[in-house]
Amino acid sequence: MDFFANQDTARRKTKWLVVYFAVAVVLIVVSLYFVAVLAMQAVAVKTHAADGAVPPLHWWHPELCAAVTVITLAVIILGSLYKTLELRRGGEAVAVMLGGRRLNRANATASQQRLLNIVEEMAIASGTPVPPVFLLDREDGINAFAAGYTLDDAVIGVNRGTIEYLSRDELQGVIAHEFSHILNGDMRLNIHLIGLLHGILLIAIIGYYILRSGAYSGSSRRDEGGAGIAILGVGVGAIVIGSVGLFFGRLIKAAVSRQREFLADASAVQFTRNPDGIAGALKKIGGLVYGSKMKSPEAEQASHMFFGSCRQAFIGLLATHPPLAERIRRIDPRFDGRYPAVKPLATAEVVEAEAAGQPRDRGFGAFPFPRPLPIPGMEAAGRAIPLDPALVLASVGLVNQQRVDQSARWLDGLPAPLRAALDEPFSTRAIVFAMLLDARESVRDEQLATVAQREGAPTRRETERLVAVVHAAGEEARLPLIEIAQATLRELSRDQFQSFRATVDELVRADQRLDLREFVLQRLLIGALEKHFYPPKRLATQYHSLRGVVAETALLLSALSYVGASDQQQARRALDQAAAPLRERGIDLELLPQDACRLTHIGQALDKLALLAAPLKKRLVSSAAMAVATDGLVTPSEAELFRTIAAALEVPVPPITIGAIEAGTPT
């Protein structure tokens, strides 16, 4: 299952979505026009009832057709625009709309802690930011969803019944299914679908209000020569047409989502290497009295996003999900059609299962320190890890159980004070500040004074408390810590984030230079949080050829070549290897001088390269992997710069520094 191919499929589905939507709008306009013609005829009949001269029925009224078209389009477009703006914050807006409550590890129950652990393990293994998890407390059924526009604003939503009834393996299968939707581009398509279809459903809502207002003033309307009857007729017609809109909405959602559910089920099996997990979850849906049904009145809008069907089962064209038995048989051909009796797990079972699922040994090996050639602000440090660039590309957008277990071992190996500090925003801020403290005592004292002045003495004390434990976790921990911190820091208010961002900026400027760890943290953490608190305008693809970004491509590949090289000759060899596939396509690249590869320039280049078409991103990521793996090894500095490039391109790459790529060898 190729990440880039799946993304391309999702984009093609988006184009078909627009076609389906346009057809539905045309049919709704035509239907409303005929309702309006009949309403006009009713008024004419009522007006001429006394003289017995019934006017003939004429179906073509150009002015009426134009008026109905303009009004209908205005309602649909404004309705869709309203809902799209309402959901501009991405997945969190969908979760709140459905009644979700964000889970906080600091006060989570045992079953909630288990859910949070599984999501963290899956996120780190897949190379995506750890998504916030929302619990739908009022929902008794077994269901879940993933929502968001990008990897940075994705969330996971889970029903209360899901964590109460499913074992760890079953819950992991459900979460793997939802991560498939994140990695395959489905969630972006799904959230666009909610916004578009709201405009169609709005017709029925308006009809309801017309009918209700007409009923309140029925007596006066009857005195106006049939106008009241016409208005009530329009109201009833709008409700009927709205029902037609609902039909088309369900038809569109079914056309878009049904096959994607089969793909997500298959991906979940591939991710976990445990078909019994997701199959068991589906069987419990069939055996549970609540099934996967949703109580929320908003669930209809998001029915295509859920793990299981959230309403009474539809068949054929209107089913957003394949039949439950068919989904199970594709995973477990031995399924005999009988569903098990389902009962909630006891708390003791949850705790025991979670303890059994957490390995106790850390997954780091021992590798020698390289001596790379430094470029401005990019002094490499840490252990080099064997790396095959082909495996890097093969691992994009994919997860397997080895990689998940590796992530679990890494998480379990975190020192207890660090693990606890990551559970709430106050201490997580201090972790970030500790990561930015300089090795030189004079600069560090200035930075700590800045923390005390801007954030208060308690924050300084917390930062000083966590410095040693953050450094003890090692350079390998920096990227995963940033991913976990991003999820926790979304709980800040916008004002708190502004203060936090300003403090980070001051700490970075304290030594009058920008180094790689600071650059990575600003791009991966602060950049992602800015998108959360200040959702940007989503830019369309602008470059369908690398010829328009040759300078930026040369800059990135030169920087990667230098950061892992011990001399100029080795850097040139790395660039030549990385550029070879591009030169075959007529893109001529040369190694830039070291002074030209400054981090500020790299940031500007990444902003431009983010507008590349998906196939070009694949080529660029492949060349970047070749640059860092020319010598067969990758250092933490190379891994961090590579990960930052991949994140800017919205390409999920598992964390190389905890051995995830090596563990992720395709099978």
Side-chain angles (χ1 to χ4, degrees):
M1 297 179 188
D2 184 86
F3 168 79
F4 299 96
N6 286 331
Q7 294 286 314
D8 189 52
T9 299
R11 289 184 180 90
R12 288 200 303 270
K13 285 277 189 180
T14 302
K15 295 177 182 178
W16 277 109
L17 167 60
V18 174
V19 173
Y20 297 149
F21 179 74
V23 171
V25 169
V26 169
L27 292 175
I28 288 172
V29 169
V30 171
S31 301
L32 280 174
Y33 170 72
F34 283 121
V35 168
V37 170
L38 293 175
M40 284 181 57
Q41 183 68 10
V43 172
V45 170
K46 181 72 174 179
T47 303
H48 295 86
D51 55 22
V54 179
L57 176 61
H58 296 289
W59 289 107
W60 179 237
H61 301 272
E63 293 182 357
L64 178 63
C65 182
V68 169
T69 300
V70 170
I71 293 172
T72 304
L73 289 178
V75 169
I76 292 175
I77 292 172
L78 290 175
S80 297
L81 182 61
Y82 164 78
K83 180 58 69 172
T84 300
L85 290 175
E86 185 180 47
L87 299 177
R88 68 187 181 277
R89 292 191 65 183
E92 182 175 339
V94 176
V96 172
M97 178 185 78
L98 293 169
R101 168 180 64 87
R102 178 168 178 157
L103 290 182
N104 186 310
R105 187 181 292 274
N107 53 22
T109 65
S111 58
Q112 293 167 5
Q113 290 271 11
R114 181 185 62 172
L115 170 63
L116 292 170
N117 288 343
I118 291 172
V119 171
E120 278 189 351
E121 293 162 12
M122 197 71 65
I124 291 174
S126 62
T128 64
V130 179
V133 180
F134 285 78
L135 184 67
L136 280 61
D137 291 291
R138 296 188 294 273
E139 302 293 350
D140 300 312
I142 297 173
N143 226 327
F145 65 89
Y149 289 105
T150 67
L151 298 177
D152 289 327
D153 65 23
V155 306
I156 296 288
V158 176
N159 286 11
R160 177 172 51 81
T162 305
I163 63 174
E164 289 182 350
Y165 293 107
L166 299 188
S167 69
R168 193 183 205 280
D169 285 349
E170 292 163 347
L171 185 58
Q172 187 182 64
V174 172
I175 297 304
H177 175 103
E178 298 309 324
F179 265 87
S180 170
H181 285 310
I182 293 174
L183 295 169
N184 290 336
D186 297 338
M187 64 173 188
R188 182 188 295 110
L189 174 63
N190 288 338
I191 202 170
H192 281 312
L193 198 55
I194 295 178
L196 279 177
L197 295 183
H198 183 75
I200 294 178
L201 300 178
L202 198 58
I203 300 290
I205 297 173
I206 292 175
Y208 167 76
Y209 282 109
I210 290 175
L211 195 62
R212 189 173 69 170
S213 64
Y216 285 140
S217 57
S219 58
S220 62
R221 295 292 186 191
R222 284 192 291 271
D223 296 334
E224 297 176 3
I229 295 176
I231 291 176
L232 292 177
V234 170
V236 172
I239 291 177
V240 172
I241 301 304
S243 300
V244 174
L246 180 62
F247 169 83
F248 282 117
R250 287 175 174 167
L251 189 64
I252 292 170
K253 288 190 286 188
V256 168
S257 68
R258 204 160 41 232
Q259 290 303 313
R260 306 299 284 180
E261 291 304 313
F262 280 133
L263 174 61
D265 287 346
S267 296
V269 174
Q270 181 180 6
F271 289 178
T272 62
R273 290 289 183 239
N274 181 13
D276 292 339
I278 187 170
L282 291 169
K283 291 173 185 177
K284 284 187 175 179
I285 288 177
L288 183 65
V289 63
Y290 308 110
S292 55
K293 303 299 182 292
M294 302 289 297
K295 297 177 182 177
S296 170
E298 306 291 344
E300 171 61 36
Q301 298 182 61
S303 59
H304 55 296
M305 305 182 78
F306 288 99
F307 173 71
S309 179
C310 69
R311 58 174 186 260
Q312 292 299 320
F314 284 90
I315 59 174
L317 293 177
L318 295 183
T320 56
H321 291 67
L324 189 62
E326 184 179 354
R327 290 177 69 183
I328 296 172
R329 286 194 182 97
R330 289 205 179 191
I331 302 169
D332 179 10
R334 301 166 298 173
F335 178 58
D336 58 6
R338 290 182 293 182
Y339 297 104
V342 183
K343 62 179 182 179
L345 299 176
T347 302
E349 293 179 89
V350 172
V351 173
E352 182 179 351
E354 185 59 26
Q358 290 292 325
R360 291 295 164 187
D361 58 299
R362 295 188 69 167
F364 301 142
F367 296 98
F369 281 78
R371 296 187 59 81
L373 176 70
I375 65 173
M378 289 192 188
E379 295 79 357
R383 296 173 290 201
I385 295 174
L387 182 70
D388 181 347
L391 293 183
V392 175
L393 200 61
S395 72
V396 172
L398 295 179
V399 186
N400 65 28
Q401 191 61 50
Q402 286 177 297
R403 204 176 293 154
V404 173
D405 289 344
Q406 187 80 6
S407 300
R409 286 195 293 271
W410 181 85
L411 286 166
D412 193 59
L414 285 176
L418 187 57
R419 173 71 271 186
L422 287 165
D423 290 345
E424 48 83 30
F426 174 78
S427 293
T428 300
R429 288 160 51 252
I431 289 174
V432 175
F433 299 151
M435 292 171 71
L436 290 171
L437 292 183
D438 198 275
R440 292 166 293 179
E441 185 175 352
S442 59
V443 178
R444 177 178 296 206
D445 289 343
E446 179 185 341
Q447 290 175 313
L448 288 171
T450 297
V451 171
Q453 179 183 1
R454 293 195 56 85
E455 305 292 342
T459 303
R460 172 175 176 155
R461 288 194 294 270
E462 183 71 354
T463 301
E464 291 177 309
R465 181 181 75 86
L466 291 169
V467 167
V469 71
V470 168
H471 287 183
E475 298 233 341
E476 299 94 338
R478 195 152 54 206
L479 283 174
L481 286 179
I482 287 174
E483 305 291 15
I484 298 172
Q486 181 190 139
T488 304
L489 292 174
R490 288 192 193 186
E491 297 179 37
L492 296 173
S493 68
R494 183 175 288 190
D495 289 342
Q496 288 172 329
F497 169 67
Q498 288 178 336
S499 175
F500 170 72
R501 179 178 57 187
T503 302
V504 168
D505 288 344
E506 285 202 35
L507 296 182
V508 168
R509 290 194 300 265
D511 60 355
Q512 305 299 314
R513 62 195 291 271
L514 180 67
D515 64 27
L516 181 59
R517 65 193 172 94
E518 295 166 342
F519 174 76
V520 169
L521 189 143
Q522 285 187 318
R523 293 288 307 193
L524 294 184
L525 179 63
I526 303 302
L529 290 173
E530 283 180 343
K531 293 177 184 177
H532 170 71
F533 289 104
Y534 305 96
K537 179 181 178 182
R538 306 187 191 283
L539 300 176
T541 298
Q542 293 186 17
Y543 300 99
H544 297 274
S545 169
L546 286 176
R547 295 184 186 280
V549 289
V550 171
E552 290 77 15
T553 302
L555 174 61
L556 288 192
L557 296 183
S558 295
L560 284 168
S561 299
Y562 279 122
V563 75
S566 57
D567 54 42
Q568 186 82 14
Q569 184 178 2
Q570 187 177 353
R572 188 173 301 281
R573 186 165 58 250
L575 188 281
D576 287 341
Q577 178 171 315
L582 303 180
R583 287 171 179 160
E584 292 176 2
R585 296 177 177 270
I587 308 298
D588 191 24
L589 301 178
E590 297 295 336
L591 183 69
L592 299 181
Q594 289 175 255
D595 288 341
C597 300
R598 296 188 177 275
L599 292 165
T600 52
H601 299 157
I602 292 174
Q604 295 166 3
L606 288 176
D607 292 337
K608 189 171 180 179
L609 291 169
L611 305 178
L612 285 171
L616 301 181
K617 290 180 179 180
K618 181 177 182 178
R619 291 177 201 162
L620 186 56
V621 170
S622 177
S623 291
M626 291 180 183
V628 301
T630 301
D631 57 359
L633 299 174
V634 60
T635 67
S637 294
E638 290 176 294
E640 288 181 358
L641 182 56
F642 176 72
R643 179 68 173 275
T644 303
I645 292 170
L649 300 177
E650 294 189 44
V651 175
V653 177
I656 299 169
T657 50
I658 62 171
I661 297 294
E662 188 177 16
T665 304
T667 58

